[in-house]
Amino acid sequence: MRAFQFTWQDCLFVHWPVERDALRTVVPDSLALDTDEGQAWVSVLASTIENARPPGVPTRFGMTFPQVNFRTYVRLGQTAGVYFLSLDTSSRLAVRVARSLYRLPYYYADTVVDSGSRHRFRSRRMQRSAPPVEFEATYEPEGSAKTPESGTLSAFLSERYRLFVPQAGLTTRIEHDPWYLYPATADVSAESLFEAVGLSEPNREPRVRYCPRMEFQVRTPTRIEK
């Protein structure tokens, strides 16, 4: 099974606890909601993707583009994974590839990234056929990084190695080393991300983490076995 390869740079994780009943309305019935001690979560991962390339293409020919993914945590049978509520990027080519090959809800956006003394990420969806969405965050790491321990909330939210697209009957294996995460502070504006998919913005403070760099491989999709 062949794999797309890429690097995620300056990764911001923002995690919100949400009501299970509300989340159930926006996740296909074929997927079970995955929870940590009964609590459901949604997350934003904002990053710059570098050297994205299909199998066999040298690194120097890879693409670089910023991306925001908005996701939640699910299970199909005994297999844990993620379900993408939406993804936004400034690369039209990435939108076309992800939509055609992986059937993901990917949208074209005007996105600006500034990696100064504090990282700044700003995205505004430009695709007219989709609900308007804006996301903005200013963030910086603090303290020491560590790999999440098995069984912890940090591991539940980060160590996910499969994505599901049940509307298209597809699943994809994601391969990477364990995350190495810093605590972080962030000013985040994400209310329209929630509104666009039919969720209310959470009224609790998010959990924020940062990773400077991660190498990924995303396998080509396979059919979900029934």
Side-chain angles (χ1 to χ4, degrees):
M1 187 166 49
R2 306 178 77 189
F4 280 76
Q5 301 179 62
F6 53 90
T7 302
W8 281 0
Q9 190 80 19
D10 292 329
C11 306
L12 170 69
F13 275 110
V14 190
H15 310 287
W16 290 268
V18 294
E19 296 295 331
R20 292 178 61 179
D21 290 347
L23 187 60
R24 182 71 272 176
T25 67
V26 300
V27 174
D29 292 340
S30 58
L31 297 175
L33 300 182
D34 200 4
T35 62
D36 180 76
E37 298 185 352
Q39 177 64 65
W41 292 79
V42 296
S43 301
V44 165
L45 173 54
S47 65
T48 297
I49 294 187
E50 297 182 343
N51 301 322
R53 61 204 186 276
V57 173
T59 301
R60 65 181 182 276
F61 295 124
M63 298 188 302
T64 295
F65 51 89
Q67 175 183 277
V68 179
N69 78 51
F70 186 37
R71 68 191 199 174
T72 191
Y73 303 92
V74 296
R75 286 186 174 271
L76 185 63
Q78 298 301 310
T79 304
V82 296
Y83 174 74
F84 286 113
L85 300 166
S86 67
L87 304 99
D88 290 88
T89 181
S90 59
S91 170
R92 294 183 187 274
L93 179 57
V95 170
R96 289 197 295 270
V97 170
R99 280 187 167 273
S100 63
L101 182 59
Y102 293 93
R103 301 295 194 267
L104 290 170
Y106 228 116
Y107 303 102
Y108 174 67
D110 178 22
T111 306
V112 177
V113 177
D114 179 12
S115 296
S117 57
R118 296 191 79 196
H119 302 289
R120 187 182 182 197
F121 195 106
R122 186 174 74 248
S123 177
R124 182 165 63 95
R125 187 177 294 171
M126 304 297 289
Q127 197 156 321
R128 293 182 180 179
S129 60
V133 163
E134 294 188 14
F135 172 81
E136 185 168 354
T138 304
Y139 56 101
E140 62 183 341
E142 59 180 17
S144 300
K146 64 180 181 179
T147 297
E149 296 181 9
S150 177
T152 64
L153 176 58
S154 289
F156 172 88
L157 294 170
S158 60
E159 300 305 323
R160 297 279 161 159
Y161 297 90
R162 187 164 290 276
L163 67 87
F164 298 105
V165 189
Q167 301 93 326
L170 298 177
T171 182
T172 299
R173 174 74 180 172
I174 305 167
E175 299 177 357
H176 59 83
D177 291 336
W179 286 94
Y180 199 60
L181 298 171
Y182 288 85
T185 58
D187 297 319
V188 178
S189 174
E191 59 270 17
S192 62
L193 271 174
F194 288 87
E195 182 180 355
V197 299
L199 292 174
S200 299
E201 184 184 13
N203 57 12
R204 292 167 61 181
E205 287 297 311
R207 176 186 180 93
V208 183
R209 296 293 185 269
Y210 170 82
C211 178
R213 184 179 179 88
M214 177 64 78
E215 302 286 340
F216 270 76
Q217 290 190 352
V218 178
R219 297 291 177 179
T220 51
T222 58
R223 302 298 301 178
I224 292 174
E225 296 183 5
K226 297 183 179 180

